[in-house]
Amino acid sequence: MTRDSKPFPSRANPLRAKARPRTATRQGFIPAEVARDAEAAKVPGLPARLAAANVIADVVQGGHRLEDCFSPLAVPSRLSGLEGRDVALVRSIVTVALRRLGVIRHALASLLDKGLPRQAVRLEWPLIAAAAQILFLDAADHAAVDLAVRAVRLEPKSAPLAGLVNAVLRNLARRREEFLTQAQTGEFDTPPWLAQRWRKTYGEAAARAISAMHMLEPPLDLTVKSEPGVWAERLDGIVLPTDSVRLVSRTAIAELAGYAEGEWWVQDAAAALPARLLGARAEERVLDMCAAPGGKTAQLAQARAIVTALDRSAERLKLLAANMERLGLHADIAVGDAMSYAAPPFDAILIDAPCSATGTIRRHPDVAWTKKPGDIDALASLQTRMLDRAAALTRPGGRIVYCTCSLEPEEGELQIAAFLRRNPDFKRQPIIAAAEGVPAEFVNADGDLRTLPLHWPADDPRLAGIDGFFAARIVRQE
Ligand SMILES: C[S@@+](CC[C@H](N)C(=O)[O-])C[C@H]1O[C@@H](n2cnc3c(N)ncnc32)[C@H](O)[C@@H]1O
């Protein structure tokens, strides 16, 4: 870990004089019933733009997870009444808007000298949705501008400002190249508190490289049951050094060859490593302590271990069950809280702990805007208790792999150091990179796994990068 000198510029939301506190509301830009009303529905493309503005508000203002906004269980659903093609459009607008939120806000602020009028702060959401299309999607500028203006006219408090919205978005389209040049570094798109953390932990250059990776749409990684070379060829992908198959695909996942037959599952190449490090063997009793939706459970079951898949979320375990069924694999499913879970000691335990998920911002750009500094300490103390519970459930001679998809040391390096100090009967079993098929650059000086989004650069940027993961393997002394 190094420290360099040049800091990122620090930026609050430049569109507002004072950032408002996050509220867990679903107020959005416009009430869902207006978005669905007959007049709006008559204009092609308008319901999708209204839905996009509302989802952006739900995430950035309401703190909701992006995936939850697209769940059929979302209340209220911003997507009801939309056809599949429109839902895909909403997803692409919202994803790029969140990926590039910092630079979009910067561009809009440059065009709105005085920021947004107080009575019309909700204008931010349709403006962001339209700017995302103008700057980063292949949408025609006039359609993006026109539909944003129509959307604004539907919201009574904002309607008088439709002319302003029209002027701002036309100017944005005219000055697109200028803003795209400023957008190239990705610095605007990392919240200052996260940039500062990464600079402190990884140094200035690495922090910038991590932010740069977050600008890119990630590839699709698959874990295949067998024959990665064959599947890479069939799916027009490449085999990664760790045997995951990587694709650049816009085809719906369920339509790809091998999906229905259960030959593979979607899993970032870094996420596939912790279960491998556990080295589960046939007939061993293994606890997957935070199992849903089951990517790692599938790996453990594929190794023919006797797997208990524990998770406190019954909903997410339904997904796990469906995934396991498609894959033709078995695990015993248990709904419950890891902290009070009791069972005879296990041979091996995988803890894929709930965490800030800052290592997955490429795949989940909402994480950058929904997580707050205080979340890290709260999650780290939950992880501490989980580790201690897992220790009590491990037989003498048994092992634990603890992992998180976080870039934050409190949820990785510091967590495991503190565990080893508290539990002298456990010792770290360092990863032997070459022998275990793990790239040496992924293993830190202590012998733990530390992947960063900047790892695995590629000539074709669509094939570059990996999620940020930490994993440590610890063994209970006999
Ligand atoms: C990072 S996700 C697990 C991903 C999963 N291992 C996979 O590979 O697909 C963390 C999981 O921990 C679960 N969880 C959170 N707190 C828990 C607790 N106290 N006990 C059990 N599960 C918990 C969440 O419901 C969530 O499904």
Side-chain angles (χ1 to χ4, degrees), residues 243-261:
D243 277 351
S244 288
V245 171
R246 179 162 283 188
L247 318 180
V248 178
S249 167
R250 298 286 160 263
T251 308
I253 286 163
E255 287 166 24
L256 291 171
Y259 176 86
E261 298 77 18

Side-chain angles (χ1 to χ4, degrees), residues 289-296 311-313 316 336-338 352-354 386:
M289 200 172 212
C290 298
K296 299 177 188 67
D311 201 286
R312 74 167 180 197
S313 163
R316 286 167 67 85
D337 187 335
D352 186 14
M386 254 181 200

Side-chain angles (χ1 to χ4, degrees), residues 119-282:
Q119 74 278 19
V121 284
R122 287 193 203 177
L123 275 183
E124 184 173 8
W125 314 120
L127 275 172
I128 289 171
Q133 295 163 68
I134 292 168
L135 292 176
F136 300 111
L137 294 179
D138 282 339
D141 290 345
H142 63 84
V145 177
D146 177 59
L147 290 169
V149 170
R150 284 173 187 267
V152 166
R153 286 203 184 115
L154 286 173
E155 206 277 314
K157 280 195 190 147
S158 310
L161 296 164
L164 175 73
V165 167
N166 186 41
V168 166
L169 291 176
R170 282 182 191 282
N171 277 338
L172 179 72
R174 211 170 24 249
R175 290 173 58 186
R176 179 179 17 234
E177 293 313 316
E178 176 194 330
F179 290 123
L180 286 180
T181 304
Q182 293 177 10
Q184 270 168 12
T185 63
E187 287 172 26
F188 286 99
D189 298 313
T190 304
W193 72 276
L194 274 177
Q196 194 189 359
R197 278 186 148 268
W198 300 341
R199 234 177 14 245
K200 183 173 168 215
T201 307
Y202 302 109
E204 182 73 24
R208 283 181 187 273
I210 291 169
S211 292
M213 286 309 297
H214 291 162
M215 288 192 295
L216 303 175
E217 213 175 305
L220 180 68
D221 288 353
L222 309 177
T223 299
V224 294
K225 280 183 176 170
S226 63
E227 301 185 297
V230 171
W231 285 105
E233 203 174 319
R234 276 190 76 181
L235 295 166
D236 197 19
I238 58 168
V239 182
L240 294 171
T242 51
D243 277 351
S244 288
V245 171
R246 179 162 283 188
L247 318 180
V248 178
S249 167
R250 298 286 160 263
T251 308
I253 286 163
E255 287 166 24
L256 291 171
Y259 176 86
E261 298 77 18
E263 292 293 340
W264 47 258
W265 57 99
V266 174
Q267 188 175 41
D268 183 89
L273 297 174
R276 270 179 44 182
L277 296 176
L278 193 66
R281 294 181 285 272

Side-chain angles (χ1 to χ4, degrees), residues 38-109:
E39 280 309 306
K42 270 189 228 153
V43 182
L46 183 53
R49 268 55 175 206
L50 288 166
N54 274 336
V55 173
I56 294 167
D58 286 343
V59 172
V60 180
Q61 185 185 39
H64 295 274
R65 290 179 40 185
L66 183 57
E67 275 318 303
D68 293 345
C69 297
F70 283 89
S71 154
L73 304 173
V75 180
S77 173
R78 304 301 192 185
L79 308 170
S80 67
L82 293 186
E83 289 180 9
R85 218 181 43 164
D86 275 342
V87 173
L89 175 62
V90 176
R91 195 184 268 280
S92 67
I93 294 173
V94 172
T95 304
V96 78
L98 295 171
R99 194 181 293 293
R100 310 310 311 270
L101 185 65
V103 80
I104 288 172
R105 278 177 159 166
H106 162 76
L108 291 172

